[in-house]
Structure formats: structure tokens, C-alpha cells
Amino acid sequence: MLIDRARIHVKAGSGGDGCTSFYRDRRVRKGKPNGGDGGSGGDVVFAADRNIHTLLDFKYNRHHSAQRGGHGGSNNKKGKRGESLFIRVPVGTVITESGTGLLLRDLAREGESVIVARGGVGGKGNTKHRPGTAGAEGEGKELELELKLIADVGIVGYPNAGKSTFISRVSRAKSKIGNYAFTTKAPILGIVRFDECEAVFADMPGLISGAHRGRGLGDEFLRHIERTRVLIHMVDIAQLEGRSAHEDYDSINGELSLYKRSLARKPQVIACNKIDISGSRENFSRFCDKIGKSAYPVSALTGEGIDKLLEAVFRCLSGQT
Ligand code: GDP
Ligand code: MG
């Protein structure tokens, strides 16, 4: 099960109190102030880590606090700084403040981090301030975490190639995730299981006709496709629409590289869809000869060849191509 939302409470450490103390000996009767400052409290920091995949832990673990600062001591001894609390979250976690809905950060990249609650500053010892002061309270916040699912696999291809049909066949409708208000232009996500593995697939619509210029497609789209690890390039091999399959194939690849060069370099598994339609077999052989690469003949409608395709995709995901 993938949990994609969590509400948690974070509390940064309060500052340690400043110390009030006096140096006394036989000669210094009145006593000289020598209380040290309190240490500052630790921050609560979120960091994106690609080894974390869900927000599941937060469902059972709602309270997260950083250490408080140590109190100051006599002899001008400064209190110890409280240790910051580092919380690892999946890449793609969006953090907002509950209530206000204020966006604190979208942790979109591996290693990116943000301080969500600041530790209180330590109080002043009476050396500097009479009398010594108490440490400031650490920030406390109620946070909303939302994991925008990151697709492992993006499905690209011409309109009507069969992308939607394919994703609804291979992903379990039941495991569809979240209440994301996807517009028609945003990718449709589905979780696909194969053997013991699981991956998020995204149907990437509209990747032609000026998509690379961003026309009508938001950054959202680009971000999703950029984050995928493998692309399924779906080609309509029935060719009933009067275009040739390899031209479709070339123009989608051209579009990808115009959009961003790195997209064109992503590993692609080529799926020739609608193999159930007569004439498709012949088109398929011709297509493979023409592009000089291997491709998978499939029918998103009948299910033919789908397992072999998924096997190839998951092999590619696990890096053993
Ligand atoms: P998308 O625009 O790439 O998402 O394409 P759709 O999934 O909406 O499919 C476009 C049309 O092709 C629909 O009418 C589908 O029923 C049909 N279609 C999709 N896959 C197949 C297939 O494998 N065989 C046949 N015969 N029709 C298909
Ligand atoms: Mg579609």
C-alpha cells in the first residue's frame, strides 16, 4: 500500500536557559556574575532521499521533535547546542503548513533539504544580561506532507496510440492513488505490479505539436516526465490513420529531444500497439527493420504481448538491460 499524505507535528528544540550565577571567593565578596548562555535548540529539517518511497512511517509516527539546547552553566559555560532532527522523506514530497496551507517546500530533488521549524535561541547568561534570561521556545508546527507520486515509467506516443487503454489495463484501478486533481493535460498515474515489483506508470498525453514549447502544458508535465526512469514509446502499428509508424516514432523522439535533451536519452522500451488489427504484423516487421531496434508487439485491447512488454520494462527499471 502506498500512502501519499500525512499530517504530522514538528517541534524544534527550545533554547537552553541562560545561567545566573556569581563568582565568589574571599576577596570578591559581592560576587561577579559568571552565568553562561544557553545553547540554541535544534532545528527540524526535512531532506529528500531517494531510498524512501512512501510516507507510511509518518502515519504511525506523528510527533517529531528536535533536541533542546543545554542550559548555560556557571564559569561562563555555554550550553550545548541541541541536535537538529533530520527527517528523510521521499523525493517529491511537498510540505505545507496545516491550516494556512502555506507551501514550505516541494522537495523535488534528491538531497534537497529545508528547515521547517527553527530551534529557539539560547537565553543569555547573567554575564551579559542581568538577570539571566530563559531560552526561546522552539518553533512548533502542524505540517501536511503530500507525496506527489513520481512516475518510474512514462508512456509517450501519438494521440490514439493506445496509451490510456494500456495504462488502464495494466494498472489496478483499485490502487489508483490520491485525490490529485489532474487536469486532462497532466499525467494519469497508475501503479503496476509485475512479479514482486511495483512501479508507478504515467500516461503522458499531448506530447506532440509544440509540446516542447510548453504550449498548454505546465511545468508539472515536464517535471513528471523528467523524473521517470524509463519510457514506453507506444506506436500505433495498425497505421489506420494514414501516417507511418516510423514517422510517428521519429517525430515523438524529435519532440522529446526538443523538449529536453536528457529526455531523448532516457531508456525506451518500444511497444507496437494494436497488433490485433489485420496488417499489423507486416507493419511490425517493416517497422523493426526500419528503425533497427527491437520492439514489442502488443495489444492493449486484447492483452496480447503485454506480459513480455512489462517484463522488459521492469528489467530495464532494475537496471539489467
Ligand atoms: P491514447 O490517445 O494514446 O490514450 O489512446 P487510447 O487508449 O485512448 O486509444 C485510442 C483508440 O484506440 C481507442 O478507441 C482504443 O479503444 C483503441 N485501441 C487502443 N489499443 C488498442 C489495441 O490494442 N487494439 C485495437 N484494436 N484498438 C486499440
Ligand atoms: Mg489517452
Side-chain angles (χ1 to χ4, degrees):
M1 183 174 54
L2 265 153
I3 300 235
D4 57 335
R5 263 171 212 271
R7 175 179 284 201
I8 63 167
H9 185 80
V10 293
K11 178 81 172 67
S14 297
D17 296 337
C19 175
T20 298
S21 83
F22 297 92
Y23 176 78
R24 288 193 176 87
D25 70 6
R26 256 175 264 137
R27 281 159 298 150
V28 191
R29 296 284 299 279
K30 202 168 161 223
K32 199 170 158 233
N34 72 348
D37 298 341
S40 49
D43 301 325
V44 178
V45 185
F46 277 82
D49 183 330
R50 77 160 85 83
N51 298 311
I52 312 277
H53 300 286
T54 70
L55 297 174
L56 194 64
D57 284 349
F58 298 100
K59 196 171 150 72
Y60 306 107
N61 235 333
R62 282 201 8 94
H63 294 274
H64 302 265
S65 323
Q67 205 178 34
R68 71 164 299 149
H71 298 312
S74 52
N75 263 330
N76 291 314
K77 194 158 174 264
K78 193 170 162 36
K80 222 176 127 201
R81 213 196 127 79
E83 260 178 51
S84 289
L85 176 69
F86 287 87
I87 302 178
R88 297 183 307 149
V89 292
V91 177
T93 300
V94 177
I95 307 164
T96 49
E97 234 177 64
S98 293
T100 62
L102 180 75
L103 174 73
L104 297 184
R105 186 68 78 90
D106 175 356
L107 291 172
R109 287 179 213 297
E110 163 72 9
E112 197 176 334
S113 66
V114 59
I115 296 174
V116 292
R118 288 190 184 274
V121 291
K124 294 261 178 282
N126 67 340
T127 307
K128 293 184 186 156
H129 189 279
R130 262 170 262 181
T133 62
E137 181 91 358
E139 277 185 306
K141 275 179 193 164
E142 193 77 13
L143 299 179
E144 205 79 55
L145 306 183
E146 187 186 70
L147 174 58
K148 285 195 180 169
L149 277 175
I150 294 169
D152 305 295
V153 179
I155 309 165
V156 296
Y158 255 74
N160 294 323
K163 300 180 296 297
S164 304
T165 311
F166 172 73
I167 202 161
S168 60
R169 169 172 275 274
V170 297
S171 69
R172 309 194 178 174
K174 267 184 246 129
S175 51
K176 261 218 179 117
I177 291 227
N179 311 312
Y180 298 113
F182 283 123
T183 69
T184 50
K185 284 187 182 123
I188 306 295
L189 303 176
I191 294 191
V192 180
R193 288 192 190 95
F194 188 78
D195 279 347
E196 301 289 278
C197 303
E198 206 171 61
V200 179
F201 281 39
D203 172 3
M204 307 283 187
L207 189 82
I208 55 159
S209 56
H212 63 274
R213 271 167 264 140
R215 192 186 296 156
L217 295 167
D219 289 345
E220 184 90 354
F221 178 86
L222 178 60
R223 280 170 33 159
H224 260 97
I225 197 165
E226 271 188 305
R227 291 168 177 181
T228 60
R229 289 189 283 144
V230 175
L231 297 178
I232 295 178
H233 190 149
M234 187 153 283
V235 179
D236 180 347
I237 204 68
Q239 301 182 11
L240 296 180
E241 296 190 28
R243 299 183 316 262
S244 80
H246 83 267
E247 277 166 18
D248 282 5
Y249 173 79
D250 285 345
S251 80
I252 291 287
N253 280 337
E255 196 71 26
L256 283 173
S257 62
L258 284 173
Y259 208 52
K260 195 141 199 204
R261 206 152 276 286
S262 61
L263 289 185
R265 284 198 296 265
K266 272 195 203 292
Q268 274 190 13
V269 178
I270 306 163
C272 292
N273 191 34
K274 310 195 186 180
I275 200 74
D276 57 293
I277 293 178
S278 75
S280 290
R281 291 268 158 208
E282 293 76 6
N283 296 343
F284 176 70
S285 322
R286 228 175 298 131
F287 174 76
C288 291
D289 286 348
K290 196 116 190 172
I291 65 165
K293 286 181 185 149
S294 62
Y296 292 83
V298 299
S299 169
L301 203 66
T302 68
E304 184 185 343
I306 296 289
D307 270 2
K308 281 218 170 82
L309 171 64
L310 289 183
E311 194 191 335
V313 171
F314 278 84
R315 216 186 313 128
C316 201
L317 278 177
S318 62
Q320 18 169 298
T321 27

